[in-house]
Amino acid sequence: MAHELNRHTFDAVMVPNYAPGAVIPVRGEGSHIWDQDGRSYIDFAGGIAVNSLGHCHPELVKVLTDQANKLWHLSNVWTNEPALKLAQQLCQMTFADKVYFANSGAEANEAALKLARRYSVDKYSADKHQIIAFDNAFHGRTFFTVSVGGQPKYSEGFGPVPEGISHLPFNDIQALEKAISHHTCAVIMEPIQGEAGILPADPDFIRRARELCNQYNALLIFDEIQTGVGRTGELYAYMRTGVKPDILTTAKALGGGFPIGAMLCTDEVAQAMAVGTHGSTYGGNPLGCRVASRVLELVNDRDLLDGVRERHLMFMDGLDELNDRYHLFSDIRGQGLLIGCQLCDQWQGQARNLLVQAQDAGVMVLIAGPDVLRLAPSLIIPPDDIHTGLERLGQAMVQFLHTRTEEA
Ligand SMILES: Cc1ncc(COP(=O)(O)O)c(C=O)c1O
């Protein structure tokens, strides 16, 4: 059926920075999505680790519509009750004493990086501004965050990048020991590198980074934009490590699909963000905060978090079984419901082709770079949907092998 608005409309009127899939989803419920033609898909992508409670969770729809009938927006000239409540929850549930609200992950990181520099420059000296980050890291798409991110393809071609940023090999304790100094203001890392291919930080590396930051009065920033809000089976991944950061950024799953981001920090660090140092018109918007507040109430529940760990095992068993049959992956890794399947050498660069086959078979998946298939479904995806989705992924793997063999 021809639709008035279709994939060609995208090419006609939208900036070509994305290459969206051929189908246009129009409705979602739980872990199911329907496209314009009424075809249904199982959602293993979760809006890139965003739809933490699936699509249109009734509790979230309820608070969103309730808030929509009360108060949408004020700016930060006034505060609002949903923002205050959400900040209180985040402080009670984590290491943090203070919260800054943003609208996205990149904005939360922008705030974190600016704060780290401002704190160090104010407290120590103007030349304490080195930021240490890691190869292949991803921290967002603003100019500061692509510069700190460890994937040059995102920062090249835009002219001079900000100075004072060093990139080190991830999980390399010796490189970190060598590079950190009294000029370092912050070390920023993802507890599991998401966009890089679901690569976990070693526990020893995290612990040593904390020690070194203490030794050199540098701040430790955990970017938990992908790992946060229950994704790993804990509210935040740092809670599994025994190491607390000074600053943590969270977004994506925080709003369950409603755009919101936040930067969490200690009271001492927060003081450097004095009136006028930073801000955002929409940050702390009542609609987003009200939804996020309910997301946190629902996700920060031991049964739900244990359910994430149980679902992890279901996925791992199912994926291992598929791999025993089709031998596409050399490694299947991850925590909770953030899972990466590394394609074997023979299939390097083919992750997108597998994603397209999966979509054709009726299951939405993600990739993380050219060689890794990534799954980040709803934290409450029903087991039946896991099984159906994996069955469809199996069909996609057969089709993938079939087309690749024909091409060869
Ligand atoms: C670890 C990490 N940091 C930052 C971001 C950027 O978040 P946003 O796209 O909401 O700006 C992402 C998004 O993928 C991410 O995975």
Side-chain angles (χ1 to χ4, degrees):
M1 203 205 305
H3 297 276
E4 194 189 334
L5 296 174
N6 54 52
R7 180 61 181 75
H8 298 296
T9 323
F10 179 93
D11 295 333
V13 295
M14 292 186 68
V15 167
N17 63 317
Y18 301 118
V23 300
I24 300 188
V26 291
R27 190 165 75 82
E29 192 183 315
S31 286
H32 292 250
I33 295 173
W34 288 267
D35 70 15
Q36 288 173 310
D37 295 322
R39 186 164 180 236
S40 81
Y41 304 81
I42 300 280
D43 186 5
F44 281 177
I48 319 192
V50 167
N51 298 80
S52 42
L53 297 168
H55 296 274
C56 297
H57 189 289
E59 288 291 318
L60 302 188
V61 173
K62 195 165 121 198
V63 293
L64 179 60
T65 45
D66 181 61
Q67 189 60 40
N69 283 305
K70 279 190 183 152
L71 184 71
W72 285 33
H73 177 74
L74 283 169
S75 85
N76 284 295
V77 177
W78 295 272
T79 188
N80 67 77
E81 289 180 354
L84 294 171
K85 180 172 172 194
L86 178 60
Q88 263 181 346
Q89 285 172 294
L90 286 165
C91 290
Q92 278 158 8
M93 292 172 183
T94 70
F95 75 97
D97 307 309
K98 291 276 155 63
V99 177
Y100 166 84
F101 287 121
N103 309 293
S104 66
E107 280 183 43
N109 279 336
E110 186 80 21
L113 296 164
K114 280 180 73 181
L115 173 61
R117 281 222 170 140
R118 190 61 180 249
Y119 170 80
S120 301
V121 167
D122 282 357
K123 183 160 182 184
Y124 299 101
S125 67
D127 63 354
K128 189 172 175 64
H129 63 246
Q130 184 206 24
I131 292 166
I132 293 184
F134 297 99
D135 292 345
N136 299 316
F138 186 77
H139 298 300
R141 297 293 202 115
T142 64
F143 203 45
F144 200 175
T145 56
V146 284
S147 310
V148 171
Q151 303 194 37
K153 66 179 179 203
Y154 294 134
S155 57
E156 281 169 3
F158 299 99
V161 294
E163 287 175 16
I165 301 164
S166 313
H167 293 100
L168 307 180
F170 193 47
N171 279 330
D172 186 334
I173 292 180
Q174 278 178 356
L176 183 57
E177 286 172 341
K178 220 166 132 201
I180 198 166
S181 76
H182 285 292
H183 297 295
T184 309
C185 75
V187 175
I188 180 168
M189 70 165 85
E190 299 158 82
I192 301 173
Q193 286 192 334
E195 301 303 302
I198 319 299
L199 304 171
D202 293 338
D204 286 348
F205 182 68
I206 297 180
R207 276 192 289 274
R208 188 71 185 124
R210 177 70 276 176
E211 284 168 8
L212 289 166
C213 283
N214 292 348
Q215 189 180 335
Y216 290 98
N217 293 321
L219 300 174
L220 182 61
I221 305 174
F222 283 163
D223 176 344
E224 290 238 29
I225 286 157
Q226 194 151 156
T227 53
V229 197
R231 180 103 346 238
T232 64
E234 287 299 333
L235 186 63
Y236 286 98
Y238 84 85
M239 294 171 174
R240 280 180 164 217
T241 67
V243 171
K244 288 184 193 163
D246 303 292
I247 300 178
L248 180 149
T249 50
T250 179
K252 284 190 177 282
L254 181 61
F258 198 97
I260 183 167
M263 182 202 65
L264 283 52
C265 61
T266 60
D267 192 31
E268 197 205 326
V269 175
Q271 299 317 313
M273 214 182 234
V275 174
T277 40
H278 192 60
S280 144
T281 297
Y282 284 120
N285 167 277
L287 292 166
C289 290
R290 184 77 191 279
V291 176
S293 199
R294 193 74 188 114
V295 169
L296 279 183
E297 281 168 358
L298 293 169
V299 171
N300 195 27
D301 169 81
R302 199 60 259 171
D303 285 345
L304 188 143
L305 295 169
D306 287 344
V308 172
R309 290 168 184 240
E310 284 158 22
R311 285 166 176 77
H312 172 84
L313 297 177
M314 289 176 206
F315 268 102
M316 294 305 270
D317 286 350
L319 289 165
D320 280 342
E321 221 171 276
L322 290 178
N323 207 31
D324 286 345
R325 253 182 274 156
Y326 306 118
H327 311 289
L328 285 188
F329 308 125
S330 57
D331 189 24
I332 303 172
R333 56 182 176 251
Q335 275 178 15
L337 290 173
L338 185 58
I339 295 173
C341 308
Q342 174 86 44
L343 286 168
C344 303
D345 287 350
Q346 186 189 356
W347 305 115
Q348 293 296 292
Q350 297 284 335
R352 185 167 289 283
N353 286 325
L354 187 53
L355 174 151
V356 172
Q357 296 292 357
Q359 185 182 289
D360 289 349
V363 57
M364 304 285 201
V365 297
L366 298 164
I367 58 174
D371 309 325
V372 175
L373 194 78
R374 172 174 39 164
L375 308 180
S378 154
L379 306 182
I380 54 169
I381 182 170
D384 279 352
D385 290 344
I386 298 180
H387 294 131
T388 310
L390 286 172
E391 239 169 63
R392 293 180 187 179
L393 185 59
Q395 291 158 18
M397 288 161 89
V398 172
Q399 199 51 35
F400 173 87
L401 285 170
H402 184 65
T403 14
R404 299 301 113 188
T405 321
E406 270 183 358
E407 272 171 17

